[in-house]
Amino acid sequence: MGKSLNTKQFAAALQEAVKLDAEDWKKQGVRPALAVILVKGDPASEYYANSKMKLAQKLGIEYRLIILEADVAEDRLLAEINRLNEDPDTHGIMLELPLPKHLNVAAVSDALLPVKDVDGICSANKWAVYTGEPGLYPATPESCIRILKYFGYELQGKHVVLIGRGETVGRPLMQLLLRENATLTVCHSHTQQLTRHIAQADILIAAAGKANLVTADMVHPRLVIIDAGINETETGIAGDVSPDAMDAAQAMTPVPGGVGTVTTTLLFEHLLKAVKLQKESGVHADVRL
């Protein structure tokens, strides 16, 4: 039976560090605050927004949930983002995705001030991921890398098969993996003979957004699996990898209790990094940061 890479202990250690960092900022007169914008219409987004609220309370971080109607005009959403960009008491902004189809995701994402964009979705932060320059990187891709390192799985020289090339996880994760000197194969919806690619992998990262895409008969006993999939099914939340694949692999992150647990914590770690970046860049220089 494979090892379950449950991240509860790792996330707890990260949370303790975030809590201490937040207390240090408070001693300097700064109360780190995260604003989350939720456009109604996606039940999963509402769930995640509320889970972040609970963690913020635990960490002693101010949390402001801004709820907008599903039919909100794009101008109204952009005005709200601009207000938060200019607010010196708001240090981080997160936009819950997906957005309703009538909203231009790229335009809305790029309205975020890069040094407040805690989930790294604006073009400036995506470019920072690509170049390796300082910035706020997307939390889920970073979570995948950090989990592998925490459990002692080396990336350098290893063959990583990544399933998924989406803007949120797959594409930025490609860059982070290459920077770790992994040998990378990217699979997607047009890939043929997926099982053959998986058979050659040391590490499999699934980020396709399709429940139970990878089944137990597709994996092998040496394989380490990071399941970054979060899918709503009739029976609840499911990953991209079937749970019984854990028995056929060396190790695997569960869903829930794996990547998502660390990702949520990293958003608050990014918030505190954002405070530092704002201070260094002179954002809101006219007030005490």
Side-chain angles (χ1 to χ4, degrees):
M1 183 174 179
K3 177 183 178 183
S4 174
L5 303 179
N6 190 298
T7 60
K8 183 178 180 180
Q9 188 173 358
F10 179 34
L14 289 173
Q15 288 166 16
E16 185 60 29
V18 168
K19 188 175 181 179
L20 291 172
D21 199 3
E23 288 173 358
D24 284 343
W25 278 113
K26 288 176 187 175
K27 290 174 184 175
Q28 299 176 53
V30 180
R31 297 189 63 82
L34 175 66
V36 173
I37 301 175
L38 172 67
V39 180
K40 288 183 179 179
D42 182 58
S45 292
E46 294 181 23
Y47 171 81
Y48 297 136
N50 286 324
S51 68
K52 281 190 277 287
M53 181 183 294
K54 291 176 184 176
L55 182 54
Q57 291 170 348
K58 179 180 176 182
L59 298 175
I61 287 173
E62 291 192 19
Y63 185 91
R64 297 159 190 162
L65 180 59
I66 296 146
I67 301 174
L68 301 175
E69 295 300 322
D71 61 352
V72 63
E74 190 167 305
D75 286 350
R76 168 73 180 87
L77 176 55
L78 290 171
E80 188 62 40
I81 291 173
N82 188 56
R83 181 185 71 79
L84 295 170
N85 283 341
E86 295 179 353
D87 178 14
D89 294 323
T90 298
H91 304 99
I93 308 168
M94 183 178 176
L95 186 65
E96 288 287 355
L97 299 176
L99 294 175
K101 294 187 188 301
H102 72 281
L103 298 170
N104 185 324
V105 178
V108 172
S109 299
D110 279 347
L112 294 168
L113 195 65
V115 292
K116 292 192 177 186
D117 171 27
V118 294
D119 203 20
I121 64 172
C122 73
S123 294
N125 281 324
K126 287 180 180 178
W127 181 246
V129 172
Y130 184 82
T131 61
E133 295 174 359
L136 297 171
Y137 293 178
T140 300
E142 185 181 343
S143 176
C144 294
I145 302 289
R146 299 269 290 267
I147 289 168
L148 285 164
K149 290 184 176 181
Y150 174 78
F151 285 104
Y153 295 107
E154 179 68 42
L155 278 162
Q156 183 168 308
K158 298 298 184 181
H159 185 183
V160 178
V161 168
L162 169 62
I163 306 176
R165 55 180 178 179
E167 291 292 330
T168 306
V169 182
R171 290 185 187 274
L173 186 49
M174 291 178 207
Q175 304 303 326
L176 296 181
L177 288 166
L178 290 173
R179 201 172 306 147
E180 295 290 335
N181 295 313
T183 299
L184 181 61
T185 297
V186 180
C187 299
H188 43 77
S189 58
H190 295 280
T191 297
Q192 298 179 6
Q193 297 181 316
L194 179 59
T195 303
R196 180 170 63 85
H197 292 289
I198 295 173
Q200 299 170 358
D202 299 304
I203 297 168
L204 171 68
I205 304 179
K210 185 174 181 181
N212 302 317
L213 172 65
V214 177
T215 53
D217 61 327
M218 298 169 69
V219 309
H220 59 79
R222 294 180 294 100
L223 191 64
V224 175
I225 303 171
I226 302 294
D227 190 349
I230 298 287
N231 306 287
E232 290 278 347
T233 69
E234 291 180 357
T235 56
I237 297 289
D240 287 356
V241 183
S242 178
D244 60 358
M246 189 179 294
D247 295 334
Q250 179 185 163
M252 175 174 152
T253 55
V255 176
V259 173
T261 304
V262 175
T263 296
T264 304
T265 303
L266 286 181
L267 289 168
F268 291 97
E269 184 180 281
H270 290 182
L271 171 67
L272 299 180
K273 183 178 180 181
V275 175
K276 187 170 182 286
L277 288 172
Q278 288 160 44
K279 186 172 184 180
E280 291 173 349
S281 64
V283 172
H284 307 310
D286 54 328
V287 298
R288 184 180 179 187
L289 249 187

